[in-house]
Amino acid sequence: LAGAGTCYQQAKRVLHAAVPDRLHAREREMSVIQQFLREHVCGRRPGSLYISGAPGTGKTACLSRVLLDCKDELAGSKTIVLNCMALSSPQGVFPAVAQQLGLPAAAGREGLRRLEKRLTAQGPMVLLVLDELDQLESKGQDVLYTLFEWPRLPGSRLVLVGLANALDLTDRSLARLSARPAGSPRLLHFQPYTREQLTTILQERLGQVAGDSVLDTAALQFCARKVSAVSGDARKALDICRRAVEVVELEVRSQTLLKPLPGGE
C-alpha cells in the first residue's frame, strides 16, 4: 500500500491549481503579455493592459508564469501585485499601492496627490498588477478611472495590468477613457478552454505521476466534456479529478484494512 498511497498523494499534488511550468493552449496569450511588458516596462513606456476572461481560463496563471520567466528583465523596475479581493473597499487600493511604494499613510485627496507625485517623479518603472479588478467598481467608477489615467499623466512611470472576469468592464467603467486619443488600455481576452484542451491539461498533469495512470483516459475525457460544456474552467476540472482520486484512495484504504491477514492471524 505504501507504493499505491504515494501515487495518490502525487496525483493530488499535480492536480492542484498551481502555476505549471508550461501552460497548454495559452502560447498566444503568454506572448502578448510578454511583448507588452517588454515594450512598456523594459522600454520605459507607460501604458495599461486589461486582461479579461471567465474564472479558470488561465489569466492569473499566465501572468504569474510570464513574471517568473521575465524576472531578470524586470529586475530594474518595481513590481507590485495586489489581489483586489483582499481590499475592504475600492478606495483601499490607493493606500495599498502607497504602502508598497514606501509612502507614509495619508487618506483621501492628500494620499492620492502624493501617490500621483511619486508615480510621475524620476525613478524606475513601476509595474502594478491588479488581480480581480472588478472588485474596484464603485459609484461613478472614479477608482478605476483614476488608476487607468495614471499611465497617461505627463512623466508617468506606471505600467498597469488589470485582470478581471468581466469582458465589458472597460466599456462600462472606462468609456470616458476611449474618448481620448490613445486612451484605452490594450485588451486581451482569454476564451474558455475546449474539451480537447482540458483533456490535454489533465493528461499533462497526471503524466507527471510515475507508474500506471491513476485516472482512466475515458474518465478524464468525460470530466473534460462536462466542464467544457458548462464553463471551460480548468480549475474546476482539476478539482473534480482531485476529488475522484480522494474517493479511490479512501476505497483502497478501507479494502486494505479489511483484508484478512495471511496465515489466518
Side-chain angles (χ1 to χ4, degrees):
L1 177 73
T6 54
C7 88
Y8 296 124
Q9 296 298 324
Q10 270 185 308
K12 287 192 296 188
R13 221 178 10 254
V14 298
L15 289 165
H16 263 291
V19 180
D21 292 334
R22 196 179 140 265
L23 276 120
H24 177 69
R26 289 292 179 247
E27 292 76 15
R28 182 191 74 85
E29 290 80 353
M30 300 257 298
S31 78
V32 169
I33 296 171
Q34 209 161 26
Q35 194 49 43
F36 175 84
L37 294 181
R38 283 189 178 139
E39 209 172 289
H40 291 273
V41 183
C42 308
R44 294 195 61 89
R45 284 177 49 205
S48 55
L49 171 67
Y50 174 70
I51 300 175
S52 65
T57 49
K59 305 181 299 294
T60 308
C62 275
L63 184 61
S64 306
R65 185 72 259 163
V66 172
L67 289 177
L68 280 171
D69 293 346
C70 299
K71 211 156 97 194
D72 295 345
E73 294 175 63
L74 298 172
S77 57
K78 165 89 175 152
T79 301
I80 300 171
V81 180
L82 293 178
N83 187 317
C84 302
M85 282 285 238
L87 303 169
S88 51
S89 74
Q91 282 70 23
V93 70
F94 301 125
V97 173
Q99 190 189 355
Q100 292 281 329
L101 289 172
L103 285 169
R109 300 219 64 80
E110 175 58 20
L112 255 181
R113 209 181 50 75
R114 279 191 202 169
L115 248 180
E116 288 183 1
K117 204 170 157 199
R118 172 63 61 95
L119 289 170
T120 50
Q122 286 289 309
M125 293 302 278
V126 175
L127 169 61
L128 175 59
V129 176
L130 297 175
D131 205 350
E132 309 277 2
L133 186 72
D134 6 21
Q135 298 296 316
L136 300 184
E137 291 202 76
S138 58
K139 244 191 1 259
Q141 301 302 3
D142 47 340
V143 173
L144 282 171
Y145 191 71
T146 300
L147 288 166
F148 279 94
E149 276 277 77
W150 279 350
R152 295 158 40 183
L153 296 170
S156 174
R157 54 189 170 104
L158 180 73
V159 178
L160 175 64
V161 178
L163 298 88
N165 299 333
L167 175 58
D168 61 346
L169 183 73
T170 47
D171 303 343
R172 287 203 316 272
S173 316
L174 306 171
R176 288 181 291 174
L177 283 180
S178 49
R180 309 259 305 268
S184 293
R186 169 113 196 244
L187 303 180
L188 174 62
H189 183 62
F190 279 63
Q191 296 291 346
Y193 285 108
T194 65
R195 189 185 76 212
E196 296 76 18
Q197 289 167 345
L198 287 172
T199 306
T200 307
I201 288 168
L202 295 172
Q203 283 170 335
E204 234 170 45
R205 292 287 186 109
L206 287 163
Q208 297 166 34
V209 181
D212 290 344
S213 170
V214 179
L215 292 173
D216 198 66
T217 307
L220 293 185
Q221 286 171 342
F222 178 72
C223 171
R225 191 166 73 243
K226 289 289 182 196
V227 172
S228 71
V230 178
S231 61
D233 178 339
R235 274 183 297 203
K236 193 145 277 163
L238 291 167
D239 282 345
I240 291 169
C241 289
R242 205 167 58 241
R243 280 210 290 276
V245 171
E246 280 167 4
V247 170
V248 177
E249 186 182 20
L250 284 172
E251 275 178 21
V252 169
R253 274 219 185 116
S254 60
Q255 282 166 12
T256 316
L257 293 173
L258 299 173
K259 266 189 202 141
L261 291 166
E265 294 165 28

